[in-house]
C-alpha cells in the first residue's frame, strides 16, 4: 500500500489528490454521522415523559433524519467516486506488488549468507531513484509505457545495487529469484489477447515449479515409467554415454513433464530427424544455444511467443544432459525474462569508480560503508586511493585493542564535526565495540560530508543489525593466475639484494598464486578452504630475503647452487604455507610444488613451471611483470596441477549450488505466501466430516499440497515392512563383524521407524487432520526447501544432498543392512559390502582389522591396510577412483571418476612401499578420511602428477 501511494503520488498526482480528498471527506462524513448519533442520544436522554408528546425531541429527530440522509447521500457519492479512483489506481497495483516482492526477496537473502542484510531504508532509496529520479521517463507521456519502464528499472536497479553486496557466485541466484517475481507480475498484468495465452502461462508455471522442486519430485519412478528408465539404462544419449545421474534426471523429466516424454525416448536413437541436432548439442561448447527446437516445442507452438518459457525449457534440458552449463543456461533464462537488461550487471565487480559513486550518491553521514573481504584480502587500499583522488582527509584506525577503541571514538567525534572521513580497519576484531558504534550512529549529528568506512573479514562476529544499517560491499580477489601474480608482484617493495633474488620473488608469487587459485576447486584443489592470505606471501618474502642475504654476503650476484634451497623449501612447506594445512595429502601436494619450483634448475633457460608453461627469462622485476601481463586471464586447470576437466567439475558443482540456493529462496517465498492464508484451521473432527476436510485441503497453500504428495511418494518408496529381527548363531554372536552389523541394524531400524512416523504426521498436517508442532513446522520447511531434516541425519552424507536423493540412498542402505545381517549369521560367509552405504563405515573397517589381528595372531598396531584388486580379504563395492583409471596400474585420465568393480580390503603385517599413497574418503566432499592405501603406478605415470592432481578413492 505504501508503494502504491508513492507511485500514484508521482505518476498521477491528480488522481492521488482526488483520492486523498475523498478519503478526507469520507472521514468527515463518518465523523458527522457519529456526532449526529450522539446528538440523537442526548435528545432522547433529555426528553421528559412520552417522546411523541415532546415537540422539541420530534423536531430534533426530523432535523437529524434529514441531515443524516444528506450525509449518507454524499457519502454514497464519494464511495462511487472512490471506486472510480481505485479502478484507475488498479493499473499501478502490479508495480506496487513487484516493489513489495523485491523487498522481501532482498530480505530473504540472509538465508544464503548472514552478511546479506538489506534494510527497508536501502530499498526505499532504490524505490525513490527508480520512480522519482528516473531519467528514462523523461519525455514519456504514455502511461502504459511509463509503467513498463518503471518495472524494468526497478528490477535492474535493485539487482545492480544488491549484487555488489553478494559473493560473485551468489549473484545469479538473486537474479533468477527476481526473474521469478517478474514473471509472476507479467502474468498478472497481461492484457487479454495482447500477449501469450493462459495455456502458455500455465505451461511456463509448471516448468518453473519443476525447476524449483525437481529434487523433490524426483522420487522413485512410478511403475508406468519403468519402461522409460529401462530404455535409458543402456542408452547413449545423442552419441554420448549417459551417466547414472543423467539417466535419473531424464527419467524424472519423462515422469513429471509431459513435453519431455517424446524427446527423452528418442535420445538414444542413432539415426533420425533429430539425431544430428542432438549430436551437435552434445558436442557444442555452448549447448544452451543449440537445444533442438523440436524438443522445446514438443507439446505445440503455444510457447513460441514467450521467449522466457523457451529459455526455461532450455535450462531444464541443459541441466539434465550438460550440467556444467547450468550457470550459462540460467543466465540466459534471466536475460530472456529481463530482455537483456541485466547482461552487463551480472558478474560485475566493484571498482574504484563504483565505490566513488556509492560514497557520493548512496551513502550519507549516518550510513557507514562496510568493505567486507574474504579472508586474506584487504580492501582498505581502495578507501585510501579514493581519498587521494578526491583530495579528502581520512583518519585510519586499526581495531582490535582497547587503545584502538578510544582512538576510533575520538576520530569519529572529530570527523563528524569537520566533515572528514574515518577508516576503521578490521572491525571484526571488535564485535562488542561494534554494538556501541551502532547505538552511537543512531544519535550522531554529523557533517553532510562525513563518511565512515569499515573494513572487515566476512566473519559471523559482525552484528547483523550493523550490516543492515551499513552499505555493505563484498570484495573478492580477481580469479586467475594472472591477476594473482600481478597483485603479488606489485606488493613487493624490497628489491635490494643479489640479481638472482628477482626470480626467487617470481617463484614465490607463482607458488602463492597456485595455492590461492586451487582454493576455487576445493575439495579437489585442496580438501579444505585454507585461509592463504597476503600475509603468508609477505612472510615468505621475508624468509627468502633473509636466507639469500645470509648466503650472498653483500655480493651483487650469487650462484643458484649456493642458495640454501633446503632451508627455503622446508620453511615454505612446513611453516609459512604448510602451517595452515591440516591434511597429510594436501601437505604432500604443497611439498611437491615447492620441490619442483624451488631448486637450482629454476634458473635454467628451459625450466618449465608446468606442462606447456616455460618460465620467463630476465633478471629484473619488470621483466617478470611484463611476462605476467601476457598471460591469459583464465588459465587451464593443468597450470595448477589439476586434471583438464577440473573446470567442468567446478561448474557442475556451482550449478548444483545455484539450484539449491534458488530452491531455498523459493521455499521462503512460499512460506510468506502461506502466511497470508488461515493459519489456525480446525482439524476435521472425524471421518464423517470428510467433505469438509477435502474443502479445507483445497484451501491449503499450494506448497503444502505438494509436500503431501511428496510425503506420500516417499512413504511408498520405503520398505513395506520393518527390518526382520537380527539373530545370530552362537559362534557368530561374539565376532567383531556381528557387533558392527548389529549396530547398523539397530540404528537403521530406529531411523526407519522415525522416518515413517514423520511422513505420516506430515501428511496429516497437510490434510488438516492435526495441528502443527515445532517439529512438524520444521519438517514442512525442510521438505519445501528440499533439504534433509536434521533429525534424520544420523549418519554422514554429502553436503547439500537433496531430500529425494537421501530417500533413495536410505532405501538402498536398508536393503544392504538386511542382506548384511543375513551374511553375518555365518562367520565363514563371503561378505560383499557397499562400503559407502554403511551407516558407520569406520566401525566396519575397525572390525575387519580386529578379525585380521586375531587370524594373524598379532597386535592391531602391527597391521597395515591395503586396497587390492585380487580376491583376498573383505570384498567391498561402490568405490570410485577420481582423477585416474586403475586396471593393472593407475593411469591418469582427464579427471573423470572411474568405478572400481572389484576391490578387497586386505590387512597384513608388511606395509606396501611401492606405488603412490592415495586417500580413501567416504564421499566426494573429502571431509571424512576412512583410510589410505598404496596403488601401483605405471612407468609412464609421473608420481608427482598423481599427488598434485589429488587422485583419491571415494566410497559413496
Amino acid at each position: 500500500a505504501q508503494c502504491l501511494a508513492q507511485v500514484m503520488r508521482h505518476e498521477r498526482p491528480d488522481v492521488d489528490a482526488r483520492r486523498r480528498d475523498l478519503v478526507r471527506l469520507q472521514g468527515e462524513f463518518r465523523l458527522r454521522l457519529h456526532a449526529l448519533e450522539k446528538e440523537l442520544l442526548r435528545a432522547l436522554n433529555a426528553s421528559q415523559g412520552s417522546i411523541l408528546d415532546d415537540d422539541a425531541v420530534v423536531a430534533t429527530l426530523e432535523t437529524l433524519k434529514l441531515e443524516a440522509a444528506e450525509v449518507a447521500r454524499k457519502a454514497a457519492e464519494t464511495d462511487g467516486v472512490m471506486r472510480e479512483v481505485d479502478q484507475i489506481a488498479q493499473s499501478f497495483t502490479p508495480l506496487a506488488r513487484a516493489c513489495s516482492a523485491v523487498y522481501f526477496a532482498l530480505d530473504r537473502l540472509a538465508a544464503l549468507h548472514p552478511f546479506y542484510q538489506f534494510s527497508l531504508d536501502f530499498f526505499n532509496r532504490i524505490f525513490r531513484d527508480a520512480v522519482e529520479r528516473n531519467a528514462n521517463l523523461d519525455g514519456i507521456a504514455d502511461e502504459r509505457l511509463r509503467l513498463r519502464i518503471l518495472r524494468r528499472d526497478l528490477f535492474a536497479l535493485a539487482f545492480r545495487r544488491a549484487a555488489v553486496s553478494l559473493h560473485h557466485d551468489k549473484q545469479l541466484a538473486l537474479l533468477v529469484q527476481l526473474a521469478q517475481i517478474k514473471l509472476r507480475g507479467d502474468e498478472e498484468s497481461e492484457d487479454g489477447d495482447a500477449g501469450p495465452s493462459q495455456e502458455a502461462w500455465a505451461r511456463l508455471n509448471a516448468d518453473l515449479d519443476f525447476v524449483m522442486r525437481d529434487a523433490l519430485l524426483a522420487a522413485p519412478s512410478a511403475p508406468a515409467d519403468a519402461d522409460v528408465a529401462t530404455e535409458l539404462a543402456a542408452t547413449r544419449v545423442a552419441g554420448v554415454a549417459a551417466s547414472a545421474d543423467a539417466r535419473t534426471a531424464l527419467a524424472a523429466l519423462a515422469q513429471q513433464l509431459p513435453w519431455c516424454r517424446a524427446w527423452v525416448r528418442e535420445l538414444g536413437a542413432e539415426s533420425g530427424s533429430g539425431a544430428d541436432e542432438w549430436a551437435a548439442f552434445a558436442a557444442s561448447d555452448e549447448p544452451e544455444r543449440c537445444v533442438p527446437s523440436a524438443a522445446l516445442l514438443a507439446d505445440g507452438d503455444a510457447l513460441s511467443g514467450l521467449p522466457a518459457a523457451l529459455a526455461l525449457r532450455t535450462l531444464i534440458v541443459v541441466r539434465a544432459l550438460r550440467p556444467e552449463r547450468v550457470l550459462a543456461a540460467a543466465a540466459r533464462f534471466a536475460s530472456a525474462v529481463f530482455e537483456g537488461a541485466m547482461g552487463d550487471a551480472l558478474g560485475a565487480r566493484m571498482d574504484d569508480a563504483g565505490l566513488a559513486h556509492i560514497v557520493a550518491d548512496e551513502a550519507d553521514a549516518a550510513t557507514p560503508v562496510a568493505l567486507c573481504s574474504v579472508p586474506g584480502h584487504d580492501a582498505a587500499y581502495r578507501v585510501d586511493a579514493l581519498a587521494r583522488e578526491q583530495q579528502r582527509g581520512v583518519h585510519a584506525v586499526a581495531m582490535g585493542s582497547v587503545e584502538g577503541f578510544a582512538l576510533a571514538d575520538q576520530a569519529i567525534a572529530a570527523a563528524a564535526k569537520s566533515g572528514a572521513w574515518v577508516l576503521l580497519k578490521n572491525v571484526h576484531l571488535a564485535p562488542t565495540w561494534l554494538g556501541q558504534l551502532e547505538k552511537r550512529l543512531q544519535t550522531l549529528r554529523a557533517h553532510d560530508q562525513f563518511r565512515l568506512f569499515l573494513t572487515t573479514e566476512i566473519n559471523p562476529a559482525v552484528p547483523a543489525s550493523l550490516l543492515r544499517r551499513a552499505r555493505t560491499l563484498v570484495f573478492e580477489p580477481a580469479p586467475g593466475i594472472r591477476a594473482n601474480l600481478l597483485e603479488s608482484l606489485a606488493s613487493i617493495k624490497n628489491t635490494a639484494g643479489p640479481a638472482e633474488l628477482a626470480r626467487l620473488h617470481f617463484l614465490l608469487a607463482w607458488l602463492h598464486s597456485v595455492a590461492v587459485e586451487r582454493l576455487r576447486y576445493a575439495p579437489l584443489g585442496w580438501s579444505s578452504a585454507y585461509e592463504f592470505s597476503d600475509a603468508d606471501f609477505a612472510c615468505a618474502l621475508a624468509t627468502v630475503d633473509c636466507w639469500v642475504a645470509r648466503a650472498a654476503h653483500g655480493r651483487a650476484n650469487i650462484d643458484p647452487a649456493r642458495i640454501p634451497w633446503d632451508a627455503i623449501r622446508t620453511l615454505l612447506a612446513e611453516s609459512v604455507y604448510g602451517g595452515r594445512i591440516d591434511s597429510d595429502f594436501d601437505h604432500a601436494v604443497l611439498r611437491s610444488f615447492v620441490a619442483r619450483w624451488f631448486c637450482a634448475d629454476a634458473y635454467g633457460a628451459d625450466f618449465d613451471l608446468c606442462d606447456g608453461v616455460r618460465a620467463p627469462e630476465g633478471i629484473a622485476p619488470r621483466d617478470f611483470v611484463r611476462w605476467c601481463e601476457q598471460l591469459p586471464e583464465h588459465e587451464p586447470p593443468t597450470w595448477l596441477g589439476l586434471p583438464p576437466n577440473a573446470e567442468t567439475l567446478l561448474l557442475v558443482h556451482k550449478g548444483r549450488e545455484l539450484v539449491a540456493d534458488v530452491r531455498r529462496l523459493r521455499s521462503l517465498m512460499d512460506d510468506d505466501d502461506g502466511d497470508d492464508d488461515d493459519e489456525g484451521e480446525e482439524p476435521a473432527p472425524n471421518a464423517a466430516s470428510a467433505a469438509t476436510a477435502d474443502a479445507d485441503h483445497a484451501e491449503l497453500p499450494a506448497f503444502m499440497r505438494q509436500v503431501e504428495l511428496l510425503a506420500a511418494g516417499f512413504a511408498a518408496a520405503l520398505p513395506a515392512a520393518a527390518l526382520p529381527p537380527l539373530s545370530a548363531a552362537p559362534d557368530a554372536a561374539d565376532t567383531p563383524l556381528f557387533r558392527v552389523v548389529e549396530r547398523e541394524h539397530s540404528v537403521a531400524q530406529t531411523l526407519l521407524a522415525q522416518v515413517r512416523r514423520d511422513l505420516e504426521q506430515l501428511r496429516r498436517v497437510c490434510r488438516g487432520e492435526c495441528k502443527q508442532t515445532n517439529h512438524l513446522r520444521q519438517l514442512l520447511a525442510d521438505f519445501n526447501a528440499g533439504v534433509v531434516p536434521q533429525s534424520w541425519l544420523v549418519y554422514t552424507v554429502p553436503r547439500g544432498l537433496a531430500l529425494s536423493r537421501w530417500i533413495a540412498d536410505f532405501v538402498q542402505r536398508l536393503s544392504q543392512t538386511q542382506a548384511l545381517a543375513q551374511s553375518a549369521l555365518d562367520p565363514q560367509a563371503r561378505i560383499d559390502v557397499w562400503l559407502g552405504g554403511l551407516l558407520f563405515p569406520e566401525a566396519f573397517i575397525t572390525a575387519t582389522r580386529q578379525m585380521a589381528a586375531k587370524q594373524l595372531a598379532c597386535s592391531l598396531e602391527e597391521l597395515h591396510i591395503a586396497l587390492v584388486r585380487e580376491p583376498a580379504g573383505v570384498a567391498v563395492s561402490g568405490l570410485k577412483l577420481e582423477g585416474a583409471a586403475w586396471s593393472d596400474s593407475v593411469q591418469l585420465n582427464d579427471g573423470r571418476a572411474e568405478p572400481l568393480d572389484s576391490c578387497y580390503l586386505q590387512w597384513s603385517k608388511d606395509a606396501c612401499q611401492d606405488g603412490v599413497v592415495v586417500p580413501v574418503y567416504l564421499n566426494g566432499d573429502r571431509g571424512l578420511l576412512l583410510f589410505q592405501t598404496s596403488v601401483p603406478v605405471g612407468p609412464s605415470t609421473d608420481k608427482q602428477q598423481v599427488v598434485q592432481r589429488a587422485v583419491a578413492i571415494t566410497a559413496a
Side-chain angles (χ1 to χ4, degrees):
Q2 296 177 5
C3 294
L4 178 61
Q6 293 188 45
V7 172
M8 290 288 295
R9 188 175 302 119
H10 183 266
E11 290 297 303
R12 292 296 300 270
D14 56 331
V15 176
D16 182 68
R18 288 177 60 191
R19 185 175 183 275
R20 285 188 282 108
D21 291 342
L22 290 173
V23 170
R24 187 183 69 255
L25 284 175
Q26 287 180 338
E28 293 175 354
F29 291 154
R30 294 190 186 96
L31 183 62
R32 181 56 184 160
L33 287 173
H34 182 66
L36 291 174
E37 292 173 357
K38 293 178 66 175
E39 188 175 346
L40 174 62
L41 291 175
R42 282 197 302 270
L44 294 174
N45 186 51
S47 65
Q48 301 292 332
S50 175
I51 296 177
L52 298 179
D53 295 337
D54 192 334
D55 294 338
V57 173
V58 172
T60 301
L61 289 176
E62 288 291 337
T63 303
L64 293 178
K65 178 181 179 182
L66 293 175
E67 191 171 352
E70 181 64 18
V71 171
R73 183 183 62 80
K74 291 181 179 180
E77 291 178 358
T78 58
D79 288 340
V81 178
M82 181 62 77
R83 283 193 294 270
E84 296 178 5
V85 172
D86 289 341
Q87 188 173 1
I88 297 174
Q90 193 69 25
S91 60
F92 294 91
T93 302
L95 176 61
R97 290 178 178 171
C99 292
S100 175
V102 169
Y103 167 71
F104 285 108
L106 297 177
D107 188 62
R108 286 190 293 266
L109 288 174
L112 302 184
H113 196 284
F115 258 59
Y116 301 163
Q117 302 287 342
F118 299 96
S119 64
L120 180 60
D121 182 65
F122 173 80
F123 175 76
N124 284 336
R125 290 173 182 266
I126 295 174
F127 180 82
R128 288 194 297 269
D129 290 343
V131 175
E132 301 175 6
R133 308 186 186 108
N134 194 336
N136 295 328
L137 296 176
D138 295 344
I140 305 297
D142 182 77
E143 183 177 291
R144 295 168 60 84
L145 180 57
R146 290 178 66 88
L147 282 174
R148 284 198 294 270
I149 293 175
L150 283 173
R151 291 184 70 240
R152 180 198 66 193
D153 292 352
L154 172 71
F155 283 104
L157 192 59
F159 177 74
R160 292 174 189 275
R161 294 202 177 170
V164 295
S165 301
L166 311 179
H167 289 86
H168 184 262
D169 56 357
K170 300 298 183 182
Q171 294 178 6
L172 188 53
L174 172 61
L175 187 57
V176 173
Q177 176 78 352
L178 294 178
Q180 296 178 60
I181 296 172
K182 185 175 184 299
L183 284 177
R184 179 188 296 183
D186 290 344
E187 181 180 5
E188 293 176 354
S189 61
E190 198 61 57
D191 299 320
D193 298 334
S197 63
Q198 291 299 320
E199 179 186 359
W201 284 112
R203 294 181 183 180
L204 185 149
N205 289 328
D207 293 343
L208 190 60
D209 286 339
F210 178 82
V211 172
M212 296 301 105
R213 308 178 190 277
D214 62 344
L216 308 181
L217 295 175
S221 300
D225 298 299
D227 56 338
V228 176
T230 302
E231 292 177 12
L232 292 172
T235 191
R236 294 177 62 84
V237 178
V240 179
S243 65
D245 290 342
R247 291 195 296 268
T248 301
L250 290 172
L253 288 179
Q255 178 185 356
Q256 300 295 331
L257 298 178
W259 64 273
C260 294
R261 291 171 185 165
W263 64 264
V264 166
R265 291 177 180 274
E266 295 175 356
L267 271 179
E270 298 182 358
S271 62
S273 58
D276 293 340
E277 292 181 341
W278 283 113
F281 166 84
S284 175
D285 293 334
E286 296 182 335
E288 66 276 5
R289 297 182 179 272
C290 56
V291 177
S293 57
L296 300 180
L297 299 175
D299 54 351
D301 297 333
L303 297 180
S304 58
L306 198 56
L310 297 179
L312 181 60
R313 289 191 170 186
T314 297
L315 172 60
I316 292 173
V317 176
V318 168
R319 189 181 174 207
L321 298 177
R322 297 288 300 274
E324 77 277 8
R325 298 296 298 177
V326 165
L327 298 181
R332 187 177 176 85
F333 162 67
S335 178
V337 173
F338 293 108
E339 300 176 355
M342 301 290 195
D344 59 334
L346 182 62
R349 297 179 182 272
M350 178 58 61
D351 54 14
D352 293 340
L355 180 60
H357 171 77
I358 290 175
V359 171
D361 298 335
E362 299 180 26
D364 54 31
T367 304
V369 180
L371 287 72
C372 310
S373 306
V374 297
H377 184 72
D378 186 11
Y381 72 93
R382 295 179 180 271
V383 179
D384 295 331
L386 181 61
R388 287 194 301 269
E389 179 184 345
Q390 298 188 1
Q391 298 181 354
R392 302 299 304 270
V394 57
H395 189 172
V397 179
M399 305 300 292
S401 64
V402 178
E403 294 80 3
F405 302 162
L407 292 175
D409 289 333
Q410 297 172 7
I412 292 174
K417 296 179 180 179
S418 63
W421 290 0
V422 175
L423 171 61
L424 305 183
K425 299 181 178 180
N426 299 322
V427 296
H428 60 281
L429 301 178
T432 304
W433 182 84
L434 289 179
Q436 302 173 7
L437 173 64
E438 182 188 0
K439 295 178 181 178
R440 183 174 182 179
L441 291 175
Q442 294 176 357
T443 59
L444 182 67
R445 296 182 179 273
H447 191 282
D448 290 342
Q449 298 300 318
F450 168 72
R451 294 293 185 272
L452 176 61
F453 298 90
L454 312 174
T455 66
T456 174
E457 286 187 358
I458 298 179
N459 190 301
V462 181
S465 55
L466 179 63
L467 294 174
R468 291 181 70 86
R469 184 180 186 87
R471 182 65 172 99
T472 305
L473 308 175
V474 172
F475 290 89
E476 298 175 277
I481 287 284
R482 178 180 181 272
N484 278 286
L485 278 174
L486 292 174
E487 183 177 355
S488 298
L489 292 176
S491 67
I492 299 176
K493 305 302 181 183
N494 180 24
T495 58
E500 290 74 15
L501 189 60
R503 180 170 291 270
L504 261 179
H505 287 171
F506 167 77
L507 293 174
L508 277 177
W510 182 268
L511 171 66
H512 180 76
S513 301
V514 169
V516 170
E517 192 63 15
R518 282 179 71 104
L519 290 173
R520 292 180 56 236
Y521 297 89
L524 180 61
W526 302 107
S527 61
S528 299
Y530 303 119
E531 295 183 359
F532 298 125
S533 66
D534 296 339
D536 297 323
F537 181 66
C539 182
L541 284 175
T543 300
V544 168
D545 290 348
C546 175
W547 282 91
V548 172
R550 292 176 60 182
H553 299 292
R555 291 190 293 268
N557 295 91
I558 183 174
D559 184 357
R562 298 189 58 187
I563 294 176
W565 294 112
D566 289 340
I568 291 175
R569 284 192 293 261
T570 301
L571 288 171
L572 291 179
E574 305 298 332
S575 178
V576 179
Y577 288 96
R580 294 191 180 273
I581 295 176
D582 57 10
S583 167
D584 292 339
F585 299 98
D586 289 340
H587 217 153
V589 173
L590 178 62
R591 287 195 296 267
S592 175
F593 285 140
V594 171
R596 177 186 177 111
W597 296 325
F598 291 88
C599 59
D601 293 340
Y603 286 83
D606 56 351
F607 180 73
D608 291 335
L609 296 170
C610 59
D611 291 342
V613 180
R614 182 64 53 86
E617 299 179 359
I619 58 174
R622 182 58 191 165
D623 297 333
F624 298 103
V625 172
R626 280 196 295 266
W627 182 83
C628 294
E629 291 173 345
Q630 302 300 318
L631 295 176
E633 291 188 4
H634 302 286
E635 75 285 342
T638 52
W639 288 19
L640 309 175
L642 296 173
N645 76 336
E647 189 72 25
T648 299
L649 299 176
L650 176 65
L651 291 175
V652 170
H653 175 69
K654 288 185 175 296
R656 292 172 179 169
E657 282 190 341
L658 170 66
V659 175
D661 290 341
V662 173
R663 189 187 305 126
R664 189 177 301 116
L665 296 176
R666 172 63 178 262
S667 69
L668 295 175
M669 183 168 64
D670 289 341
D671 291 343
D672 292 340
D673 293 341
D675 290 342
D676 297 335
D677 299 325
D678 295 333
E679 296 181 0
E681 292 190 43
E682 292 295 330
N686 49 47
S689 60
T692 303
D694 290 342
D696 292 341
H697 182 211
E699 295 177 359
L700 289 173
F703 82 91
M704 292 187 69
R705 295 195 295 271
Q706 184 62 49
V707 167
E708 182 189 359
L709 295 175
L710 184 65
F714 287 164
L718 295 175
L723 295 178
L726 181 64
S727 59
D731 56 345
D734 294 334
T735 62
L737 185 59
F738 179 80
R739 289 192 290 270
V740 170
V741 174
E742 186 178 32
R743 183 189 182 193
E744 293 270 332
H745 184 276
S746 174
V747 174
Q749 185 76 283
T750 303
L751 182 57
L752 176 59
Q754 180 182 354
V755 170
R756 278 185 174 150
R757 183 171 57 253
D758 288 345
L759 291 175
E760 178 58 30
Q761 292 180 351
L762 200 57
R763 294 179 65 189
R764 293 186 62 200
V765 166
C766 292
R767 292 196 297 262
E769 297 176 0
C770 69
K771 292 183 178 180
Q772 297 183 19
T773 63
N774 290 337
H775 175 64
L776 292 176
R777 289 191 186 95
Q778 186 60 48
L779 281 178
L780 272 174
D782 291 339
F783 269 57
N784 192 37
V787 299
V788 185
Q790 191 66 32
S791 58
W792 295 3
L793 293 176
V794 299
Y795 55 89
T796 305
V797 297
R799 289 191 301 268
L801 184 68
L803 178 58
S804 63
R805 291 182 180 271
W806 185 90
I807 288 289
D809 176 79
F810 182 51
V811 171
Q812 293 178 353
R813 290 173 187 264
L814 291 175
S815 177
Q816 169 170 267
T817 300
Q818 186 172 356
L820 200 60
Q822 297 296 328
S823 300
L825 298 178
D826 182 5
Q828 304 299 324
R830 173 70 66 178
I831 304 173
D832 188 358
V833 179
W834 171 30
L835 188 60
L838 294 171
L839 304 185
F840 306 101
E842 308 100 309
F844 174 79
I845 294 173
T846 301
T848 61
R849 186 178 190 179
Q850 293 171 342
M851 293 175 61
K854 183 177 181 180
Q855 292 175 359
L856 298 176
C858 64
S859 66
L860 296 177
E861 290 75 12
E862 295 180 72
L863 294 178
H864 302 276
I865 192 173
L867 189 67
V868 298
R869 305 300 298 272
E870 299 80 12
V874 180
V876 291
S877 61
L879 302 181
K880 292 182 180 179
L881 180 60
E882 296 184 350
W886 186 1
S887 53
D888 295 333
S889 61
V890 169
Q891 303 288 336
L892 296 175
N893 60 15
D894 60 357
R896 295 189 308 271
E898 299 285 350
L900 301 178
D901 297 330
S902 58
C903 292
Y904 300 86
L905 293 180
Q906 186 181 59
W907 292 94
S908 62
K909 293 183 179 181
D910 300 325
C912 180
Q913 303 296 332
D914 299 332
V916 176
V917 176
V918 299
V920 180
Y921 295 106
L922 176 61
N923 52 50
D925 291 345
R926 302 195 176 195
L928 178 58
L929 178 67
L930 299 179
F931 59 92
Q932 62 187 36
T933 183
S934 179
V935 296
V937 177
S940 61
T941 301
D942 185 355
K943 293 184 178 181
Q944 293 304 313
Q945 281 194 340
V946 175
V947 172
Q948 293 174 13
R949 287 197 179 192
V951 173
I953 298 173
T954 58

